[in-house]
Amino acid sequence: MKLVNFLQNKFHSMKAAIFMALLLIGIIPGVIIGGIFFRMYESRALDTDTVSMTNQTQLLSDQILSTGYLKNNEVDEINTQLKALGNIYSGRIIIIDDSLRVVRDTYDLSEGKTFVWENVILSLRGQRTSVYDRVSHCLIITVPIQKNDSSNSIEGVILLTKSTDNMEQSIAFYRDLLLYLSLVAIVVAFVLAIILSERYTKPLGKLSDDIRNSQALHDEVSVDDFSETEDISRNFNEVMQKMRDIDESRQEFVSNVSHELKTPLTSMKVLADSLNAMEDEATIDMYQDFMHDITQEIDRETKIINDLLSLVRMDKSGATLNISSVNINDMLEALLKRLGPIAEKQNVELVLESFRPVTAEIDEVKLSLGIMNLIENGIKYNNPGGYVHVTLNADHQYFYISVEDNGMGIPQDSIEHIFDRFYRVDKSHSREIGGTGLGLAITKNAIEMHKGQIKVHSEVGEGTTFDVRVPLNYIKEQS
Ligand code: ADP
């Protein structure tokens, strides 16, 4: 079991895969080429022998006919030739007449006997045959002895065998040679496969080590041996950069939160300490005064905590949205009703202008909190006698809410920051009027959770307009 796991692990590795691939590429062609070579060598050698033997027997056949050898085999000229041929081919020659009787056998084994063999019979019918007998290591050809006159009659058959020992010895020699060369090639392929697989996978190992060892966020990896490892290094560094940014903004957020939460506490402590220090001198009026201030600080702390909680809820994914079909006109009317008293107190006119009835799929609690922050800001950062105009419109795809005021406006260089958490254009003024710097961050998150957009136009001293666009139908998040 352990061995199986070990092998599985080994062959799962890229190094092993490259090693095997290189080894096979090195060996397989050699084996295939070797196999093809021997087949071709053998068949070519046999073909050449067959042709030369056939030619020889053709000449012999003519002489046999002209000397009447088939009737009387005491023709010296032919017998000498047969002997010579037998020596050349290290083989046997048998002359058979048309009644299958052996007229001459150079091995003197079957003279006068009847010779029945399929190929001899085929040759008596006019065919030339050749057979390679691997068992007795010889090539056997049969050729008809055919008259060259108009009758073309077949008088007999010449059977000629040739020992293939020479050819087989050469093949054996080359086979051994190939075997040795293959062994050398296998060793070379093996060594090369080890070297190359190591070379090709080393950068990946290095990359993996570098990534594992990069414990600090600022560590970068750079393995530029191959373009692929260069790509991975670059992508990894980019991800690390994103994480650095996230970490930075998280740290900034935590330090902002601590600072914001500490400020009211510090004020409360100062107030309480000074009351304590007064001892008997403090009158009941003074106590009430101080307690009023302390209560205000507590309210402020509560508001910051509530805003933070809203922000955290908005930071979660769209999956936490509680979508339903909402009448936006009613939603805005309710908001204006709630904020009416504050606007009145500030002497700011609050107007809702609706161009058409709008119903949309939204999370009413979250989106109305976002819009409420915009209207509240319009009132807060306004001057007595100013106005806040809220308009609602829609087309077939989106609904549009704009919140326009003629208040103090926002300086151009602050506009890009106003959606940042805890950002306030004028810290002390904002604090005075109860701002936490979280309102617009909450608004932006709420709108973006609905796949909407928010834009701002502002002129210092003239006023500010926030334009919001939200899809009528909720667009589900792609999972
Ligand atoms: P705050 O709680 O301080 O109002 P916000 O995130 O709502 O925080 O707003 C961020 C800052 O943007 C505010 O402190 C204020 O300086 C500026 N601001 C927002 N809305 C307006 C507006 N309608 N007119 C002028 N300034 C605004």
Side-chain angles (χ1 to χ4, degrees):
M1 210 47 208
K2 269 188 179 165
L3 181 71
V4 173
N5 281 347
F6 173 78
L7 288 177
Q8 260 175 0
N9 277 345
K10 276 282 157 221
F11 283 96
H12 195 57
S13 100
M14 198 167 151
K15 192 166 161 181
I18 293 177
F19 171 78
M20 285 309 288
L22 290 173
L23 196 61
L24 293 177
I25 290 170
I27 294 171
I28 288 177
V31 173
I32 294 174
I33 290 169
I36 293 173
F37 171 78
F38 287 119
R39 284 255 156 260
M40 282 176 64
Y41 180 84
E42 189 184 85
S43 94
R44 189 150 168 69
L46 291 173
D47 282 354
T48 318
D49 282 352
T50 309
V51 170
S52 97
M53 284 159 77
T54 310
N55 289 341
Q56 291 284 354
T57 44
Q58 193 57 56
L59 287 173
L60 194 64
S61 143
D62 293 346
Q63 284 172 337
I64 285 172
L65 281 173
S66 64
T67 54
Y69 188 81
L70 290 172
K71 301 274 179 275
N72 172 18
N73 68 2
E74 296 302 320
V75 180
D76 285 348
E77 183 195 345
I78 303 287
N79 285 337
T80 321
Q81 260 199 60
L82 288 178
K83 212 169 186 179
L85 262 183
N87 285 339
I88 293 172
Y89 292 125
S90 314
R92 180 177 180 184
I93 304 161
I94 304 174
I95 314 289
I96 303 152
D97 68 12
D98 55 0
S99 57
L100 295 175
R101 188 182 61 88
V102 175
V103 175
R104 179 89 180 106
D105 176 1
T106 53
Y107 279 15
D108 291 332
L109 293 175
S110 50
E111 249 170 59
K113 293 182 184 159
T114 302
F115 195 100
V116 182
W117 183 43
E118 187 186 347
N119 286 20
V120 172
I121 294 165
L122 284 174
S123 286
L124 276 176
R125 291 186 190 144
Q127 277 186 36
R128 291 173 176 181
T129 70
S130 85
V131 181
Y132 174 37
D133 185 349
R134 284 178 196 277
V135 182
S136 50
H137 307 279
C138 62
L139 175 65
I140 310 163
I141 68 158
T142 60
V143 176
I145 303 169
Q146 192 165 23
K147 275 191 176 164
N148 265 338
D149 58 14
S150 54
S151 68
N152 273 344
S153 63
I154 294 163
E155 303 291 311
V157 173
I158 303 173
L159 185 150
L160 175 57
T161 72
K162 178 183 189 260
S163 159
T164 51
D165 282 347
N166 278 347
M167 180 189 81
E168 276 158 22
Q169 271 167 14
S170 316
I171 288 180
F173 169 78
Y174 287 123
R175 189 166 286 147
D176 287 349
L177 189 66
L178 186 81
L179 193 71
Y180 294 130
L181 288 178
S182 297
L183 283 177
V184 172
I186 288 171
V187 172
V188 171
F190 190 83
V191 172
L192 275 179
I194 288 178
I195 295 171
L196 291 177
S197 61
E198 177 73 22
R199 162 87 188 88
Y200 291 149
T201 52
K202 204 172 172 186
L204 289 177
K206 184 169 179 299
L207 194 61
S208 164
D209 287 348
D210 283 6
I211 290 175
R212 193 180 323 112
N213 296 333
S214 68
Q215 281 159 357
L217 270 182
H218 53 77
D219 284 350
E220 295 220 328
V221 298
S222 163
V223 179
D224 46 16
D225 299 46
F226 298 119
S227 62
E228 286 82 357
T229 53
E230 219 174 319
D231 274 356
I232 298 175
S233 305
R234 197 180 35 249
N235 292 341
F236 174 78
N237 292 337
E238 275 171 19
V239 171
M240 289 311 264
Q241 180 58 45
K242 277 187 198 139
M243 287 179 67
R244 273 198 291 280
D245 293 346
I246 292 171
D247 189 57
E248 222 168 78
S249 89
R250 187 184 57 83
Q251 279 183 10
E252 195 187 305
F253 181 63
V254 169
S255 90
N256 279 338
V257 168
S258 332
H259 176 77
E260 295 296 328
L261 290 177
K262 253 171 75 185
T263 316
L265 285 176
T266 315
S267 306
M268 283 188 264
K269 175 139 176 62
V270 169
L271 287 164
D273 279 352
S274 33
L275 255 189
N276 281 336
M278 280 188 227
E279 291 177 356
D280 302 338
E281 299 139 45
T283 63
I284 189 96
D285 282 350
M286 283 168 93
Y287 264 105
Q288 273 175 346
D289 235 20
F290 274 62
M291 284 320 257
H292 175 257
D293 289 349
I294 289 177
T295 313
Q296 266 190 341
E297 291 302 330
I298 291 173
D299 287 346
R300 200 177 140 61
E301 184 92 27
T302 312
K303 184 160 174 21
I304 295 173
I305 290 170
N306 284 339
D307 277 1
L308 275 172
L309 286 175
S310 302
L311 195 63
V312 168
R313 261 178 241 129
M314 299 284 185
D315 259 353
K316 288 193 186 144
S317 74
T320 58
L321 283 179
N322 185 11
I323 300 291
S324 62
S325 189
V326 175
N327 182 323
I328 307 296
N329 306 65
D330 289 353
M331 181 187 93
L332 289 180
E333 261 171 40
L335 275 181
L336 261 75
K337 207 168 162 194
R338 255 171 81 187
L339 295 171
I342 308 172
E344 225 168 87
K345 208 168 145 198
Q346 305 276 326
N347 193 16
V348 172
E349 188 193 14
L350 200 50
V351 186
L352 171 64
E353 194 178 359
S354 172
F355 289 94
R356 64 193 75 238
V358 180
T359 307
E361 292 172 357
I362 57 158
D363 180 324
E364 187 172 6
V365 176
K366 292 194 172 87
L367 196 68
S368 66
L369 178 62
I371 303 297
M372 187 172 79
N373 286 342
L374 295 180
I375 304 172
E376 224 180 336
N377 280 355
I379 301 167
K380 274 196 308 193
Y381 301 103
N382 215 320
N383 306 307
Y387 65 80
V388 177
H389 277 175
V390 181
T391 53
L392 171 65
N393 208 343
D395 57 23
H396 63 289
Q397 217 179 345
Y398 299 100
F399 67 92
Y400 305 88
I401 297 172
S402 93
V403 180
E404 181 191 348
D405 67 59
N406 63 342
M408 57 184 61
I410 307 165
Q412 284 306 308
D413 53 348
S414 293
I415 284 187
E416 59 176 312
H417 299 295
I418 54 169
F419 295 105
D420 295 351
R421 292 172 297 197
F422 295 115
Y423 181 82
R424 280 159 289 192
V425 175
D426 180 345
K427 269 209 175 224
S428 58
H429 177 247
S430 168
R431 229 180 95 77
E432 248 170 56
I433 56 179
T436 60
L438 294 172
L440 286 181
I442 294 171
T443 303
K444 191 163 193 268
N445 278 3
I447 291 166
E448 285 178 351
M449 278 173 98
H450 287 82
K451 307 276 181 289
Q453 257 187 19
I454 180 165
K455 283 188 180 150
V456 54
H457 310 275
S458 190
E459 286 290 336
V460 174
E462 292 194 3
T464 307
T465 306
F466 285 96
D467 289 315
V468 174
R469 189 189 82 177
V470 178
L472 288 168
N473 296 311
Y474 177 63
I475 304 164
K476 272 211 180 74
E477 217 141 317
Q478 305 285 341
S479 58

